[in-house]
Structure formats: C-alpha cells, structure tokens
C-alpha cells in the first residue's frame, strides 16, 4: 500500500535547521545512507542507539510504502585515532596489540556488530559496503578533485584544499561554522606538517613502512582518508544526489562537513537533500566512556554480568526504552529507567493478549479511526516515537475500559485496532513479540523461579551440594543465575 500518498511526513533537516516536508527525488523511492561502525572493538550502546534510530526510520518509510535503498557501510580502514589525519589506524593498532592480521580484527568485530544488531531485531540494510572494497572508486574521486584544482599532492599524500574550495562553495554550512573563524582559532602548523592550511583534510595518506594496511595508487602506496570512503560508497549506490544521509551527532563535524565538500568538489552540487543526526546516550547522567568505567556493553546488559544494573534486561526492553526518547534528544540510561520500560513493555504485550479476548458490540465508544491517525501524526512529525508510544498507551487504557464493560467496541474497530497496534509496535518500533519482558516463554520464568526458591532453601539449610547442583545444571542448560542485593535473577544465553 502506498500510504505515503495520504500522509505528510516532516523531517528535521540538520542542513537547514528546521523541519521540512519530505519530498523524495523519485516518487515512491528513497535513497538513505547511514555511516556505519569502524570495526575495531565491540559495538557500544551509544552506536546501537544511532543505528536503532535509523532502523526505526527505515521501518517507518517501508511501512508508508516507499521502496527504500538503505546503505550502511562498514569502515574497515582509514579511520585514524582521534578522527585525525595523523596517527595510527584504529584497526591496525588493534591488530598490532593483539598480534593478529587487521582483517582478523575486522572480521571479529563485524560479526559482533551483526550479532548485536540481530538481538535488537534490526532489519538488514539493502547494501552494506566496506571501505576496503571501494578503494578504486575513492582513487577515481581523488583524481577528479585534483583535476579541478581543489586538492594537492605532497610526498605521496593528497589533501583537500579547503580555502580554495570555500571561494566557490561554503565549507561549514552543515555545522554552522565559518572558515574564517576556524582559521583564526587554529594555532600555526608545526613545521613538519604537509598541509597548506590546518583545515585541509586527507583524501589519501602515504603509507609509512610500518603501516600494515596499504594499497597502490597514482601517488604511491597508501590508504584512503576516512571522510572520502563514505562519499565514494554513498554516491556509488545512491547517485550523485540522494534523499537522506544519517549518522550520530558527533559526525556532523568534521566527517559529514567533509563529505559535503568532497561531493561538491567532484560533482559540482550538494549530495544530500535531508541530513539527519541522532543524539547521544548517557549513563546515569554522565558521558559513557571506557576510561572512566561509566560504560556498559549490550551483551553485558542482556546477561546481567555488570556492576551497573540490578538485573538482566532483554534486547526488546532496551529497544523499547530507547524508543521512548526522540532520536534527536539526549537519552540517559539508568537502572530505574530500564525497570520502568520493562513494566511498560509488559503492559503493552498484556494489552495485545487482552485485545484478542474482547467481546464486541454493535457500536464503538472508542474512536479508533481518529486514534489511528494520531499514531501516523506522531511518526509524521519527524519520527516522534515518544508521542507514538503515548498514543499506543491511550489504546491500552481503552482496551481495559472495554474489558471492564465501561466502553464498547465493534468488530470492525477491534480489527482495525489490532492491526494498527501490531503495525506500530512490531513493524515500526521493531519490538520483538516473540519474547516477554523476561525474554523467555510464558512457562520458563515460573520454572526457574521455583528452582531458585529450592536453591535458596538448600542454602538456608547449608545444603551447598544441592545449591551448587541446581546452579550448575541450570548453567549447563544456558540459564545463568546471578545473586545480588535484590535477590537472585537469571538470564538465558
């Protein structure tokens, strides 16, 4: 169904700083590119939130009937430490520290990335290109930019000439920065620096003898600049101008700013109509960081093996928690917030079971058609999932009133209500209806709770052999027990 013909979708465009009515380049078709992970470590929760936001957007666009080509890349080379033009490649550094091949690092963490996203019930992108698979395309773009005089080669490296580019175009328009201010605020370059200006960025870097990841080019052996990779992959699969480019807020500058400059320098026009940026995730009110210990990985949340949360949480509960904030808002993760989300998710699932059992009447007191459009209105307003969830809970309230005999619903309205709730809960929000809040079948939590109770009695009677036997045999079945201040909880691996 081409629902998009009857709905008006508005998207907040980071490039213009306002909400705009979405009009695709080709009616009924959308090209969307999202910057994927640099695969040198386990994917962290903040990245998961960004990718989850765009998974939700992908789902809603498909729900509206658009044919979406969604491209999300894998960065497997060229991303240097501190997002700089100097220093060590993040993947090569990991390979050196662990004494393995860089592509072993790439393989290990690409698999982890896919496994984690699968647990969160992500849809696969239409295309998932790798940076190393598009070296030729990147070299060809560099040649074009050099021919146009907007880049220069020094000692086997090629740099983008930002000052020269800015005479014909506007560098900084996405992030709202002025080149003059950037230049004023930059200290003089060190004598050994090859760039003409501190703002210039690498399109191609010469590989020093110790650099493992290297490819031949017209300028000698080297590797591509991080920014260039996304320009090459997005335009190859979506064209010189496409509809939506997404990523985390932290990529707006310099990464996305440089992408715009490269595309304009090579193609002569702006590459993207709608720029979208997802905001960050904090933990207990502070920035998540490995260095401070204020950090938790997705699998640590699912297993309960962490010192931050009181119990394990299923991927679908974590997803529901993330959907309760707008994708452009900072979201703070805490034990209390997850517990509340778990209760809310279970309430939503219970209401769906209850809906199937409701008796119908000739007429309805609940205006289902109006309520249904409110669901669309929420999502049409820049994918406002918190308002959508509030609207879904309006339906929960009415379902309970109908069950209590205080309202009536007709058979036709009941069917519309069921279909709409399923569409938005499962298809759009991407929640997984195969599990409950505890993540298991209806019977398993009760059985494990009974065994935990028997184990507690054994421990109280100092019968540690029986206590350990229960724990070990459950572990052999993939059920992990965790003893904490609040009692014993379990998780299923």
């Amino acid at each position: 169904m081409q629902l998009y013909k009857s709905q008006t979708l508005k998207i907040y465009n980071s490039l213009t700083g306002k909400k705009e009515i979405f009009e695709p380049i080709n009616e009924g078709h959308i090209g969307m590119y999202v910057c994927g992970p640099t695969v040198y470590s386990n994917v962290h929760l903040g990245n998961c939130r960004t990718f989850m936001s765009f998974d939700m957007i992908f789902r809603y666009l498909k729900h509206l009937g658009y044919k979406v080509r969604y491209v999300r890349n894998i960065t497997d080379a060229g991303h240097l430490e501190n997002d700089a033009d100097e220093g060590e490649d993040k993947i090569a550094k990991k390979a050196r520290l662990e004494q393995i091949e860089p592509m072993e690092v790439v393989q290990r963490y690409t698999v982890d990335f896919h496994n984690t996203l699968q647990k969160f019930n992500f849809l696969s992108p239409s295309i998932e290109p790798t940076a190393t698979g598009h070296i030729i395309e990147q070299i060809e773009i560099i040649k074009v930019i050099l021919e146009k005089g907007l880049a220069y080669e020094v000692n086997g490296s090629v740099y983008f000439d930002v000052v020269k580019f800015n005479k014909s175009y506007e560098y900084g328009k996405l992030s709202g920065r002025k080149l003059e201010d950037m230049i004023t605020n930059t200290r003089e370059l060190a004598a050994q620096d090859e760039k003409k200006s501190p703002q210039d960025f690498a399109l191609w870097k010469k590989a020093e003898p110790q650099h493992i990841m290297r490819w031949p080019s017209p300028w000698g052996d080297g590797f591509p600049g991080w920014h260039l990779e996304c320009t090459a992959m997005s335009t190859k699969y979506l064209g010189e101008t496409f509809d939506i480019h997404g990523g985390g807020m932290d990529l707006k500058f310099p990464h996305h700013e440089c992408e715009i400059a490269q595309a304009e320098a090579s193609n002569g026009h702006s590459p993207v109509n709608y720029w979208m940026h997802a905001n960050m995730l904090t933990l207990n009110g502070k920035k998540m960081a490995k260095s401070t210990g204020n950090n938790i990985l997705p699998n640590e949340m699912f297993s309960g093996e962490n010192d931050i949360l009181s119990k394990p949480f299923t991927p679908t509960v974590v997803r529901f928690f993330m959907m309760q904030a707008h994708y452009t808002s900072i979201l703070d993760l805490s034990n209390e917030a997850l517990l509340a989300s778990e209760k809310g998710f279970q309430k939503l699932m219970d209401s769906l079971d209850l809906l199937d059992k409701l008796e119908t009447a000739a007429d309805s007191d609940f205006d289902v058609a109006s309520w249904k459009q409110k669901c669309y209105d929420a999502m049409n307003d820049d994918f406002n999932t918190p308002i959508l969830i509030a609207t879904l809970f309006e339906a929960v309230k009415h379902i309970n009133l109908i069950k209590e005999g205080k309202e009536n619903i007709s058979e036709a309205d009941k069917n519309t209500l069921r279909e709409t709730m399923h569409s938005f809960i499962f298809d759009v929000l991407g929640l997984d209806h195969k599990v409950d809040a505890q993540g298991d079948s209806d019977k398993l939590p009760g059985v494990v709770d009974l065994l935990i109770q028997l184990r507690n009695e054994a421990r109280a009677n100092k019968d540690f052999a029986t206590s350990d036997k229960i724990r070990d045999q459950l572990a052999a079945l993939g059920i992990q027990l965790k003893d904490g201040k609040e009692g014993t909880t379990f998780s299923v691996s």
Side-chain angles (χ1 to χ4, degrees), residues 132-152:
T132 56
H134 296 77
I135 299 294
I136 293 169
E137 289 86 347
Q138 294 171 70
I139 288 172
E140 291 305 309
I141 291 173
I142 296 170
K143 286 180 183 176
V144 172
I145 298 174
L146 278 167
E147 284 170 14
K148 293 190 175 180
L150 295 174
Y152 54 93

Side-chain angles (χ1 to χ4, degrees), residues 336-349:
E336 293 71 24
L338 285 167
L339 287 170
S341 290
E342 188 174 67
K343 285 181 182 174
F345 174 75
Q346 196 60 60
K347 193 175 177 183
L348 210 49
M349 295 302 102

Side-chain angles (χ1 to χ4, degrees), residues 26 34 56 67 75 89 108 315 427 472 485:
N26 299 305
V34 172
M56 171 272 295
K67 291 183 179 177
T75 296
D89 184 291
R108 177 189 300 170
D427 298 342
D472 294 343
K485 287 183 279 188

